[in-house]
Amino acid sequence: MAFPEPKPKKPELPKKLVQNLECKQGAVRAVRFNVDGNYCLTCGSDKSLKLWNPHKGTLLKTYSGHGYEVLDAAGSFDNSQLCSCGADKTVVLWDVASGQVIRKFRGHAGKVNCVQFNEEATVILSGSIDSSVRCWDCRSRRPDPIQILDEAKDGVSSLKVSDYEILSGSVDGRVRRYDLRAGELYSDYIGSPVTSVCFSKDGQCTLAASLDSTLRLLDKDTGELLGEYTGHKNTAYKLDCCLSEKDTHVASCSEDGKVYFWDLVEGSLMLSLPVGRGVVQSLSFHPSEPGLLTATEGHVQFWREESHMAEKQLPGC
Amino acid sequence: MAAPARRPPPHVTEAWPRRRAQKMAAPGASDSEEEELAGYGTALEPLPEGERIKKPVPLQEQTVKDEKGRYKRFHGAFSGGFSAGYFNTVGSKEGWAPSTFVSSRQKRADKTALGPEDFMDEEDLSEYGIAPKEITTTDDFASKPKDRIKEKARHIAGITSSIPGTTALDDLIAPAKITIGVELLRKMGWKEGQGVGPRVKRKPRKQKPDPEVKVYGCALPPEGSEDEEDEYQPANVTFAPKDVMPVDLTPKENVRGLGYQGLDPTKALFGVSGGEHPSLFTDGSEKTSNLLGDLRHSKGRKLGISGQAFGVGALEEEDDDIYATETLSKYDTVLKDEEPGDMLYGWTAPKQYKNKKGMEKEIRYIGKILDGFSLASKSSATKKTYLPPDLPRDYRPVHYFRPVITARNENPLLLQALVESTGKLETDALQQNRHTLNASQRRELLGETALKGPSPSVLEYLSGKDKERIKEVKQAAEQQMKTQTLPQQSLNISSFSYGVHQKWQMALGGQLATPSSSDFKPFAKNPEKQKRYEDYIESLKQGQKDTSESHTDPGMTEWERGREREEFFHAAVLYKSSNPVLSSRFTRAKHEDDTDKVEVPRDQEMDIDDKESAVKMKMFGKLTRDKFEWHPEKLLCKRFNVPDPYSDSLIVGLPKVKRDKYSVFNFLTLPESTTTTITQTINEKMQQNISPNKPKKPSRWDVSDKEKKKKDSISEFISLARSKVNIQQQQPESVIEEDRSRTNEPLPNKAVNESTDQKEEEESRPSMDLFKAIFASSSDEKSSSSEEDSDEEAHQPPSSVPNSESTKHANLPDTSSADVQECMAVTSEPDLVPPLLKEELDKVEEFGPRLPPVSFSKTTQEHEPVSLASSVEANQKEKPKKNKEKHKVKREHKHKKEKKKKRKKHRHKGKHKNKKSEKNSNSDTVDSSDSLSDIEEIIDLSSQELLRRLKHLPAMKQ
């Protein structure tokens, strides 16, 4: 039975506001989907970390234990653990179910901007304002990091991890990619302080947002510029950028309260989504569907594509 | 009834019903009546007298031991039983990977066939158990049954097995299969019957032993028996090596006689041997030849002592040796314990050594003696050892290849190149360098005698030691000729710098460092120099003012001397000043590390200027990329499930190299004591040398810092920092800013600014309060900002940067404390940030991109629009007392308002506060319409080019 594949639908952008979560945790510093996109984490400036179901808009759990505002968080591949980092210079590993702190990693000399699990959640990587990336071991009880990547000349603002690579964006205007398999470090000069980096889903490109209000798509292997995306405003704050679920679009926060979408190939602005009045500080794209989380001030919005139908309400609910 | 009463309690209770029954039945009844009574239950057996009841074993004594009697720790049944896992866990040191549980419920029916192994203990399967599991050859690798080698193996098996001849059955039932090993050998040209190995030339035949000679005892191994016939031996013909049976090393475990072979079934059944009588008692060599497969036994060759066990087989044609010389007398007839002669009955404890000599030997040799070996009675002749030859005193164990350099013109350059090419300046190399030798070293090399005493310069006369002076006067006269080379002007210089030094020495007085051998050795590399330094310090302590002069190397030039003096002086000052502090806080390193080297990453990131220009031209790729060798930690690789790319290297991170640090004093920032041009040039030179060893992590702002020094203007500094940010974005605002700066702010450093590039400077001109925020105290800032606020309110600059404060700070990313304060002040929930933290934050220096302010106003939401004015009021209500914060809030709102206004392009010029709410609602609607217009406004920058590149990307997911 060889039917021809149905023509793939044109990818849709999340335009429809589905949920608006009032987080009540001060400013939401970061919002992150979990690994399958069913839940999300919000990092508050009131030292709390919250777990939500953005589809239903319900608060599931609050994790408190940070000493100062939480700046970034990530969930493990099996949803059993969370890690978060904050301005209290610590990286915290949480148990999802109990809400207890499993471990606290101390060692950074300044506030920790970004945190990531590796693929198997055996290592936590954290990038800090102290210009180092530290690799913390979740397996052993060693208090000090496995390795400190201190090649950056200025604070590390963003960090991503693939199965064998560590990508870090630094305020010194460089994007560094540590290739563990090849044992090599690639340093691409962007020129302007890098605020956010990410891998494309196919693992061939890297996207870097910098303070010159530009996003750049670089070829991972050669460092060549594949695309440049401008139109938004990012000159002062550490804002996120991301790629859509099928790598078709590039999205970025902006200081003018919007989220901008560009076509990845054409580089043309497809949509500027007005989110709020304040700076849209953080965003997170659903890993498999056209869904977007944005964080501005104390709120988190969940956006879906126009054709999205609301989830079936269970009879009991 | 006394006896039951004496019984221990349990028994008593047991006996009680009976007793009672007796009483109740008949108090005066006799014992016979007792038997009629009914008894219930079974009585306990009476305890034997004197035995105590067994108490339950207390918990602490319930121990478990393993088979060797060691205690086992019990960890609970659910955590792995005895001594399981890693520190009571089921994991290991490296963690625990959960194995997925697979239910066997469905398969339970399938698992019916239980082998005997299922009911056996582990011990039974171990090496000495009843069913040892051994590594056995599988069929694939076992040899072919018809293979001769296999046959030989069978022979051995037949010999050693309990029932001789069982191999015959195996021969009959055989799979037709050739094993891999044989296959391979055949492909390599091996044929059955040949040995394995390279072909050899046949050696010239030895004299054959006479076949008829009777040999008793062990027969000689047959040699060359196959080739007895062929006489002709061509010179260049090689032969395959003979098949050699490996020496049979199987121990004799049976009780049969030595050399007993059992019946050879091949001979017995098939008569391969031509009806030869199977010999049971052949000598060892005969046996091996049999095993080798030499099955053609000639009758004549059967010469050893042989015998028979069970007579002749029925199928045998001949039995020519029925009258063999076997007699029963050769056998033991009685089975009895043989009494060993040593009366030890097999006890093999160490012997009692009576022999003194033997004892000495035993003492001499401490260690195990292998089985089958005994200690030699005669000690072997001791080897005479010869002492190594005496080395010459100046012998160096390292040979270095001296570059062949003759005295020619290009030498300095060549030397320079050589030195540079090595990357580091080894001190040895330095000493080799002709140009770095000082006069005394040259003198030593040339073997000249040293000059007596210090060279008599005029300065020497300043010395306080009269005796020496007199002596020197004498010598001065003698050596006047030699020392005429001393240049006159250097004398001047030295005397000048010398004066300055004296001043310092006076100031420091006797507080200078005391040189003790273990303490501070700045010149440890150069012992001569160190000695001079110590002398210098010593004399300085004694209050001599011209110390340096008397302790310098007489062979040095005046310039060198001056330089050294400087160095000594600095060293002394450094040590002095830091001594009490350092000594109390630091301890000496245990391992002396190479203090003259600094670890520097081998590969430095390339020059940033080139990249800057490359980025501007959008020439990303090779120009902007640096590639380094980077060594991940082994454990990190393990955690990432990636093989370690540099598994045999110990480096972690970027490879580092050691570079010369030169001198500690290069880094000193002591006041320049001398103004001589010479020393300055030296310093400059040195600084140039240091420059590659800059502090490892310069901040992004270091560059501008340097610039600041150079140009000595803050605005320059700012403009430089600003230039990093995209200029185009700022272009429209710059004009306004310029306006504002002119109208509002009286600038103290205007004159300086105006002298510089007008355009760039104006564009980047920050407001006055920024400077104050940086350089003035917080109270200052407060007043100024409030002033500015009122100014702003009055003028209402039509369209400025939406968040002028923050943008400016971003442009000057070394965010000031005032900025942070502002952020904090804006917080709508003041209780969220405790005052202590706030203070802390004030101190914190911010780097890089900032976080947006916590909230502009809690209620401002796109979806539930609330008028801004109300929120302002709310905020004001919240903080009625804090005037400063109120201002901040106001300003924040203004910025926001401005942001909106920016789009509207001067539409709401000069509006007042009370109209803000209306304005905001307007701006909201404008926002959405703007978003559409934004799309149209997009400028596609060389999209064609980018498109082209993208399409070249292989397998890009779209």
Side-chain angles (χ1 to χ4, degrees), chain A residues 190-208:
Chain A
I190 299 293
S192 175
V194 178
T195 59
S196 179
V197 288
C198 49
F199 284 112
S200 62
K201 297 272 189 309
D202 65 353
Q204 299 205 39
C205 309
T206 58
L207 183 70

Side-chain angles (χ1 to χ4, degrees), chain B residues 186-206:
Chain B
R186 275 185 184 160
K187 286 204 171 147
M188 288 162 73
W190 174 81
K191 285 177 193 120
E192 289 190 17
Q194 289 179 352
V196 180
R199 295 173 77 83
V200 288
K201 271 187 184 174
R202 193 68 33 92
K203 280 176 204 157
R205 185 85 38 79
K206 271 191 224 159

Side-chain angles (χ1 to χ4, degrees), chain B residues 5 155 245 461 544 569 656 680 824:
Chain B
H155 278 299
M245 186 63 197
Y461 295 104
Q544 293 178 16
F569 172 67
K656 302 221 163 130
Q680 264 190 354
M824 299 315 298

Side-chain angles (χ1 to χ4, degrees), chain A residues 17 20 26-27 29 45-46 68-69 71 111 118 120 122-123 125 129 131 135 137 139-140 142 146-147 149-154 161-164 171-172 174 176-190 193 195 201-202 204-205 211-213 216 218-228 230 232-233 235-238 246-248 255-256 258 260 264-266 269 272 275-279 281 297 299 301, chain B residues 94-96 605-606 608 611-612 615 618 620-622 624-633 635-637 639-643 645-646 652-654 696-701 725-726 729 802-803 806-807 810 824 829 832-833 837 841 846-858 860-866 896 899-900 903 920 924 927 930-931 934-935 938 940-941 943 946-947 949-950 953-958:
Chain A
L17 183 69
N20 180 33
R29 291 304 187 201
S45 64
D46 72 338
Y68 205 60
E69 58 180 0
L71 294 178
K111 61 181 192 182
N118 75 334
E120 296 188 335
T122 50
V123 179
L125 293 114
I129 201 168
S131 81
C135 313
D137 194 358
R139 283 269 178 271
S140 74
R142 226 162 47 135
I146 302 174
Q147 190 171 7
L149 319 177
D150 54 357
E151 280 75 35
K153 305 283 188 296
D154 209 332
V161 181
S162 77
D163 47 355
Y164 64 98
V171 182
D172 66 2
R174 285 172 187 276
R176 291 182 176 78
R177 185 166 63 84
Y178 300 87
D179 191 327
L180 271 85
R181 213 152 61 179
E184 267 160 2
L185 160 62
Y186 304 93
S187 163
D188 288 321
Y189 186 70
I190 299 293
T195 59
K201 297 272 189 309
D202 65 353
Q204 299 205 39
C205 309
L211 278 190
D212 55 358
S213 299
R216 291 183 177 85
L218 301 176
D219 185 79
K220 202 180 78 176
D221 297 323
T222 61
E224 277 174 30
L225 185 71
L226 299 173
E228 207 174 33
T230 51
H232 66 301
K233 181 171 181 300
T235 53
Y237 301 131
K238 177 179 131 28
K246 280 171 185 149
D247 278 350
T248 51
E255 282 164 26
D256 57 6
K258 294 178 183 172
Y260 287 77
L264 182 125
V265 179
E266 306 284 341
L269 184 64
S272 66
V275 171
R277 287 206 186 84
V279 176
Q281 195 185 350
E297 297 172 358
H299 295 259
Q301 294 84 25
Chain B
E94 303 303 329
W96 177 66
E605 277 170 350
M606 304 309 284
I608 225 160
K611 290 186 175 148
E612 199 86 56
V615 166
K618 300 192 176 167
F620 285 89
K622 273 181 189 163
T624 56
R625 168 158 283 203
D626 292 309
K627 190 174 147 188
F628 307 108
E629 186 181 317
W630 176 71
H631 295 247
E633 178 85 22
L635 186 59
L636 194 66
C637 290
R639 292 279 185 267
F640 270 79
N641 286 331
V642 164
Y646 307 99
V652 171
L654 296 178
K696 203 191 150 200
K697 274 192 189 168
S699 170
R700 187 159 61 100
W701 320 115
V725 188
N726 202 342
Q729 286 245 334
N803 196 340
S806 58
T807 334
M824 299 315 298
E829 295 161 315
L832 280 181
V833 184
L837 266 175
L841 244 199
E846 290 271 331
F847 301 98
R850 296 180 311 138
L851 295 164
V854 170
S855 177
F856 288 92
S857 65
K858 262 198 86 181
T860 44
Q861 271 293 311
E862 174 92 24
H863 330 285
E864 28 187 325
V866 177
K896 212 163 44 130
K899 201 192 282 175
K900 309 297 176 197
R903 284 225 185 70
N920 248 302
D924 274 350
D927 255 353
D930 272 1
S931 64
D934 276 352
I935 303 170
I938 292 305
D940 202 3
L941 282 170
S943 65
L946 298 177
L947 205 78
R949 276 192 215 165
L950 257 182
L953 242 190
M956 179 91 177
K957 248 193 262 170
Q958 289 299 329

Side-chain angles (χ1 to χ4, degrees), chain B residues 161-312:
Chain B
S161 69
S162 49
I163 306 164
T166 46
T167 52
L169 288 172
D170 292 356
D171 285 346
L172 289 172
I173 313 153
K177 186 153 82 169
I178 297 170
T179 55
I180 294 162
V182 175
E183 200 87 55
L184 281 172
L185 276 172
R186 275 185 184 160
K187 286 204 171 147
M188 288 162 73
W190 174 81
K191 285 177 193 120
E192 289 190 17
Q194 289 179 352
V196 180
R199 295 173 77 83
V200 288
K201 271 187 184 174
R202 193 68 33 92
K203 280 176 204 157
R205 185 85 38 79
K206 271 191 224 159
Q207 191 64 42
K208 284 187 284 194
D210 188 356
E212 297 309 314
V213 169
K214 203 177 181 184
V215 182
Y216 291 96
C218 294
L220 290 171
E223 40 179 26
S225 52
E226 290 172 45
D227 314 306
E228 275 168 18
E229 284 79 25
D230 38 290
E231 304 283 14
Y232 174 64
Q233 292 268 321
N236 54 353
V237 172
T238 54
F239 295 89
K242 280 184 195 163
D243 201 0
V244 178
M245 186 63 197
V247 180
D248 182 16
L249 293 173
T250 44
K252 180 178 150 45
E253 282 164 332
N254 52 21
V255 288
R256 298 187 207 115
L258 193 71
Y260 173 82
Q261 241 189 332
L263 278 173
D264 188 343
T266 51
K267 289 172 201 164
L269 294 172
F270 307 115
V272 181
S273 61
E276 189 218 342
H277 181 264
S279 69
L280 296 174
F281 285 96
T282 49
D283 52 350
S285 61
E286 195 69 37
K287 186 176 98 190
T288 49
S289 74
N290 268 346
L291 293 172
L292 273 166
D294 289 337
L295 294 175
R296 16 115 234 112
H297 290 277
S298 64
K299 276 176 210 168
R301 287 195 70 246
K302 210 187 81 186
L303 296 168
I305 298 166
S306 59
Q308 65 193 81
F310 305 111
V312 184

Side-chain angles (χ1 to χ4, degrees), chain A residues 62-120:
Chain A
T62 303
Y63 302 88
S64 44
H66 267 289
Y68 205 60
E69 58 180 0
V70 189
L71 294 178
D72 197 6
S76 70
F77 73 104
D78 55 357
N79 287 332
S80 70
Q81 291 178 331
L82 304 175
C83 63
S84 65
C85 63
D88 57 353
K89 306 175 189 176
T90 58
V91 174
V92 179
L93 179 66
W94 305 87
D95 182 52
V96 170
S98 67
Q100 298 295 307
V101 175
I102 300 173
R103 292 191 66 182
K104 265 194 182 182
F105 299 104
R106 293 169 219 269
H108 276 299
K111 61 181 192 182
V112 190
N113 276 329
C114 44
V115 71
Q116 285 285 312
F117 271 118
N118 75 334
E119 211 179 30
E120 296 188 335

Side-chain angles (χ1 to χ4, degrees), chain B residues 440-468:
Chain B
S440 64
Q441 283 166 320
R442 273 197 295 273
R443 184 186 65 218
E444 273 173 35
L445 282 177
L446 291 169
E448 287 174 1
T449 51
L451 294 177
K452 302 279 179 332
S455 68
S457 77
V458 189
L459 300 163
E460 290 301 324
Y461 295 104
L462 292 169
S463 159
K465 295 182 179 175
D466 294 328
K467 262 191 181 179
E468 275 181 21

